[in-house]
Amino acid sequence: MNKIKLLIIEDNKEAIQNYRDAIDRVNRVSADYKYYIAENLEEANEYINYYKLDSAIVDLNLSGEVNDPANNDGNRVIDELISNFRIPIFVVSGEPHKLENKFEENNLVSLIARGDKTTLE
Protein backbone atom coordinates (compact mmCIF):
# COMPACT_ATOMS: atom_id res chain seq x y z
CA MET A 1 0.00 0.00 0.00
CA ASN A 2 1.29 3.46 -0.91
CA LYS A 3 1.78 5.97 1.85
CA ILE A 4 0.00 9.31 1.77
CA LYS A 5 2.62 12.01 1.12
CA LEU A 6 1.95 15.04 3.30
CA LEU A 7 3.89 18.30 3.10
CA ILE A 8 3.88 20.40 6.28
CA ILE A 9 4.96 24.01 5.81
CA GLU A 10 5.53 25.47 9.26
CA ASP A 11 8.31 27.54 10.86
CA ASN A 12 7.35 27.10 14.52
CA LYS A 13 9.44 24.30 16.09
CA GLU A 14 6.81 23.43 18.70
CA ALA A 15 4.06 23.14 16.05
CA ILE A 16 6.36 20.99 13.88
CA GLN A 17 6.98 18.64 16.80
CA ASN A 18 3.23 18.44 17.50
CA TYR A 19 2.58 17.44 13.88
CA ARG A 20 5.36 14.84 14.01
CA ASP A 21 4.05 13.36 17.24
CA ALA A 22 0.47 13.16 15.94
CA ILE A 23 1.48 11.56 12.63
CA ASP A 24 3.86 9.13 14.33
CA ARG A 25 1.01 8.01 16.64
CA VAL A 26 -1.22 7.36 13.62
CA ASN A 27 1.58 5.55 11.79
CA ARG A 28 2.10 3.16 14.71
CA VAL A 29 -1.43 1.89 14.07
CA SER A 30 -1.83 2.20 10.31
CA ALA A 31 1.54 3.35 8.85
CA ASP A 32 -0.18 5.33 6.12
CA TYR A 33 1.65 8.69 6.16
CA LYS A 34 5.00 9.88 4.87
CA TYR A 35 5.56 13.51 5.77
CA TYR A 36 7.97 16.19 4.73
CA ILE A 37 8.68 19.36 6.72
CA ALA A 38 9.46 22.70 5.09
CA GLU A 39 10.18 25.68 7.31
CA ASN A 40 10.15 28.36 4.61
CA LEU A 41 9.07 29.15 1.06
CA GLU A 42 12.29 27.90 -0.54
CA GLU A 43 12.16 24.51 1.18
CA ALA A 44 8.47 24.17 0.34
CA ASN A 45 9.16 24.83 -3.33
CA GLU A 46 11.85 22.12 -3.36
CA TYR A 47 9.35 19.54 -2.08
CA ILE A 48 6.64 20.78 -4.44
CA ASN A 49 8.99 20.44 -7.43
CA TYR A 50 10.43 17.06 -6.42
CA TYR A 51 7.60 15.01 -4.86
CA LYS A 52 4.13 13.98 -5.94
CA LEU A 53 2.19 15.15 -2.89
CA ASP A 54 -1.22 14.00 -1.67
CA SER A 55 -2.00 16.78 0.84
CA ALA A 56 -0.47 19.76 2.62
CA ILE A 57 -0.71 21.70 5.86
CA VAL A 58 0.34 25.34 5.46
CA ASP A 59 1.01 28.07 8.00
CA LEU A 60 0.40 31.53 6.54
CA ASN A 61 3.06 33.31 8.60
CA LEU A 62 6.41 31.75 7.75
CA SER A 63 8.71 34.61 8.75
CA GLY A 64 8.36 34.16 12.48
CA GLU A 65 7.30 37.81 12.69
CA VAL A 66 3.75 37.80 14.04
CA ASN A 67 1.45 40.42 12.52
CA ASP A 68 3.92 41.22 9.72
CA PRO A 69 1.59 42.37 6.92
CA ALA A 70 4.40 42.03 4.34
CA ASN A 71 4.77 38.30 4.96
CA ASN A 72 2.96 36.59 2.12
CA ASP A 73 4.97 33.34 1.96
CA GLY A 74 2.11 31.08 3.09
CA ASN A 75 -0.13 32.38 0.31
CA ARG A 76 2.71 31.87 -2.19
CA VAL A 77 3.04 28.25 -1.09
CA ILE A 78 -0.70 27.71 -1.49
CA ASP A 79 -0.51 29.23 -4.97
CA GLU A 80 2.32 26.84 -5.91
CA LEU A 81 0.46 23.83 -4.52
CA ILE A 82 -2.70 24.70 -6.46
CA SER A 83 -0.67 25.27 -9.63
CA ASN A 84 1.10 21.91 -9.36
CA PHE A 85 -1.42 19.58 -7.70
CA ARG A 86 -5.10 19.05 -7.10
CA ILE A 87 -4.82 18.14 -3.42
CA PRO A 88 -6.48 19.12 -0.15
CA ILE A 89 -4.67 22.00 1.54
CA PHE A 90 -5.22 22.69 5.23
CA VAL A 91 -4.26 26.22 6.24
CA VAL A 92 -3.53 26.31 9.97
CA SER A 93 -2.66 29.80 11.12
CA GLY A 94 -2.86 32.14 14.06
CA GLU A 95 -3.48 34.89 11.50
CA PRO A 96 -6.32 33.48 9.38
CA HIS A 97 -7.16 36.96 8.05
CA LYS A 98 -3.99 36.74 5.93
CA LEU A 99 -5.49 34.08 3.66
CA GLU A 100 -6.01 35.63 0.24
CA ASN A 101 -9.65 35.87 -0.86
CA LYS A 102 -9.06 33.79 -3.99
CA PHE A 103 -8.21 30.79 -1.79
CA GLU A 104 -11.31 31.15 0.39
CA GLU A 105 -13.41 30.25 -2.66
CA ASN A 106 -11.33 27.17 -3.50
CA ASN A 107 -12.94 23.90 -2.34
CA LEU A 108 -9.53 22.29 -1.87
CA VAL A 109 -8.45 24.87 0.73
CA SER A 110 -9.66 24.58 4.33
CA LEU A 111 -8.84 27.28 6.87
CA ILE A 112 -8.32 26.41 10.53
CA ALA A 113 -7.56 29.21 12.99
CA ARG A 114 -4.77 28.07 15.31
CA GLY A 115 -6.05 27.91 18.86
CA ASP A 116 -9.71 27.71 17.80
CA LYS A 117 -10.86 24.60 19.64
CA THR A 118 -14.27 24.63 17.92
CA THR A 119 -12.65 23.53 14.65
CA LEU A 120 -11.67 20.24 16.26
CA GLU A 121 -15.18 19.22 17.31
Side-chain angles (χ1 to χ4, degrees):
M1 181 172 162
N2 291 335
K3 291 185 181 244
I4 297 169
K5 294 180 197 86
L6 172 66
L7 176 59
I8 301 168
I9 303 100
E10 173 64 67
D11 66 335
N12 179 288
K13 302 290 187 200
E14 184 178 338
I16 291 169
Q17 190 58 52
N18 289 339
Y19 287 126
R20 282 186 170 131
D21 292 345
I23 295 168
D24 290 345
R25 278 193 304 274
V26 170
N27 281 343
R28 280 194 289 274
V29 176
S30 62
D32 289 332
Y33 292 92
K34 168 73 176 158
Y35 60 91
Y36 309 96
I37 306 288
E39 294 187 30
N40 56 53
L41 178 62
E42 293 77 26
E43 289 177 9
N45 282 332
E46 287 180 27
Y47 286 111
I48 290 168
N49 292 325
Y50 187 75
Y51 292 100
K52 182 181 181 316
L53 301 168
D54 298 307
S55 188
I57 299 172
V58 180
D59 179 20
L60 291 175
N61 188 11
L62 296 175
S63 73
E65 297 296 323
V66 178
N67 295 320
D68 177 3
N71 182 348
N72 202 30
D73 286 354
N75 284 300
R76 288 181 181 165
V77 169
I78 296 167
D79 213 19
E80 286 295 317
L81 287 164
I82 289 172
S83 296
N84 288 283
F85 306 101
R86 184 165 172 73
I87 62 173
I89 301 167
F90 301 92
V91 179
V92 180
S93 180
E95 298 180 271
H97 61 277
K98 284 188 171 183
L99 182 65
E100 290 182 2
N101 291 338
K102 66 181 179 181
F103 301 131
E104 291 178 12
E105 304 298 321
N106 190 312
N107 291 335
L108 293 173
V109 178
S110 298
L111 178 62
I112 301 166
R114 184 168 280 142
D116 181 3
K117 305 215 183 305
T118 62
T119 59
L120 300 176
E121 295 175 356

